[in-house]
Amino acid sequence: MIFILFINILVFSLYEHIKQKNAQIAELKLQSQRDADSAEYYRTLSEQDEQQKILIHDIKKHLNAIADLNEHHETDKIAAYLTLVLGSPELQHSVRVCDNDLLNSLICRYQKICLMKKIAFHIDIRSKCIDFVSYDDLSILFGNLMDNAVESAEKMAVDPFIELSVFRRENTNMTIITLIDSCRVNPIDKDGNLVRTKKPNPQFHGFGVKSIANVVKRYDGEMTFYYDDPSKTFHMIMMLRNPDDYIYRH
């Protein structure tokens, strides 16, 4: 009996040690992701600042070109020229899309991916509406949402786009997240489940949506999705409740 008790104590101690080590490893991975996102944010900020300085330097040339066209009453060419300048990546790409620094870094990374893949990315994240969500949950939720949206949108041959909206419903403790993306075929099977995406690693198939659902559940939320065939768009809507907002709990 003493020997069995000793073994049990040893196993329990070993289990606690392993659990503590796993927690430390998870924290190190989380910190590594924070550092990577911050580094990407500041690198992108530096790149945009440099490109905008170049644009400002060239603005005199643009104005002179427009003045020459104006002298010859080339109104159509002036309109086309202005559209070209205003549509340049230096003016379209922003490195500050929301006031949550952690989410901002993550979304800016996907903004750059969409720019490279020629996917229009429209973002509307309202102030102070998502701050109650932890960093790891933000990474899991928006990382998986954006991975799936980019994979879906890039398959569209014409005018691919992604629309992300995050706002707090007035006079409630609920934050609403809506994501709409171009989608060539219906990703919902006959049972109402999402079909698996074509990720490089087959062992990760299906885990993205499950991870999203787990985060939504942690915040006492709800999730729904549907496909609109006429517009060829996939819609995902999530509602999260702020557990620290006691005013609207009942």
Side-chain angles (χ1 to χ4, degrees):
M1 292 292 294
I2 294 174
F3 178 74
I4 293 174
L5 179 62
F6 174 76
I7 293 297
N8 287 337
I9 293 173
L10 183 63
V11 169
F12 179 77
S13 299
L14 183 61
Y15 169 76
E16 288 296 317
H17 177 73
I18 292 173
K19 187 168 71 171
Q20 184 179 7
K21 288 297 182 183
N22 286 339
Q24 291 174 353
I25 291 171
E27 180 59 31
L28 286 173
K29 288 182 178 178
L30 186 58
Q31 184 60 48
S32 176
Q33 184 62 50
R34 289 193 190 100
D35 293 342
D37 285 343
S38 296
E40 176 66 17
Y41 168 67
Y42 288 113
R43 188 178 67 81
T44 305
L45 181 64
S46 177
E47 287 180 359
Q48 187 190 38
D49 181 63
E50 181 66 23
Q51 292 300 318
Q52 287 181 344
K53 285 178 180 177
I54 294 172
L55 182 63
I56 291 169
H57 177 266
D58 292 340
I59 201 71
K60 185 176 180 180
K61 296 176 182 177
H62 293 312
L63 292 174
N64 286 334
I66 292 171
D68 289 340
L69 292 172
N70 186 56
E71 285 182 6
H72 294 87
H73 306 289
E74 301 279 2
T75 55
D76 291 340
K77 290 183 179 180
I78 291 173
Y81 195 100
L82 288 173
T83 300
L84 180 65
V85 173
L86 294 174
S88 63
E90 292 78 15
L91 295 179
Q92 294 296 313
H93 180 54
S94 172
V95 293
R96 194 67 184 174
V97 296
C98 69
D99 58 6
N100 184 299
D101 290 337
L102 303 175
L103 180 57
N104 188 76
S105 298
L106 189 148
I107 295 299
C108 281
R109 175 151 48 88
Y110 285 100
Q111 191 180 44
K112 188 171 182 180
I113 291 171
C114 288
L115 191 64
M116 290 187 297
K117 293 179 179 289
K118 301 187 186 313
I119 300 171
F121 188 13
H122 308 287
I123 309 161
D124 183 7
I125 302 176
R126 303 301 173 89
S127 177
K128 308 298 181 186
C129 65
I130 200 75
D131 291 348
F132 63 93
V133 179
S134 68
Y135 178 74
D136 49 341
D137 285 338
L138 283 176
S139 296
I140 292 169
L141 179 61
F142 287 93
N144 282 295
L145 283 173
M146 289 305 304
D147 277 345
N148 292 339
V150 169
E151 181 182 331
S152 172
E154 68 179 341
K155 294 175 183 176
M156 290 291 289
V158 180
D159 299 329
F161 74 91
I162 298 171
E163 293 181 0
L164 174 65
S165 172
V166 184
F167 65 94
R168 174 170 170 164
R169 182 174 291 174
E170 190 174 358
N171 298 324
T172 72
N173 67 339
M174 295 184 292
T175 289
I176 310 299
I177 303 168
T178 63
L179 184 71
I180 304 172
D181 61 80
S182 302
C183 192
R184 187 169 51 85
V185 295
N186 188 350
I188 305 172
D189 63 23
K190 62 181 181 180
D191 297 320
N193 300 314
L194 288 173
V195 297
R196 291 182 172 184
T197 58
K198 305 297 183 183
K199 290 184 172 59
N201 297 316
Q203 66 267 31
F204 294 127
H205 283 187
F207 286 103
V209 176
K210 290 180 182 177
S211 296
I212 292 170
N214 287 338
V215 172
V216 171
K217 185 178 180 181
R218 268 197 291 278
Y219 292 88
D220 193 23
E222 299 171 14
M223 179 178 75
T224 187
F225 49 81
Y226 66 92
Y227 180 71
D228 184 63
D229 190 65
S231 63
K232 299 295 180 185
T233 55
F234 175 73
H235 301 243
M236 180 169 276
I237 305 162
M238 289 140 287
M239 181 272 292
L240 308 180
R241 288 185 173 89
N242 184 350
D244 298 323
D245 197 334
Y246 297 99
I247 296 175
Y248 302 107
R249 275 192 170 185
H250 303 290

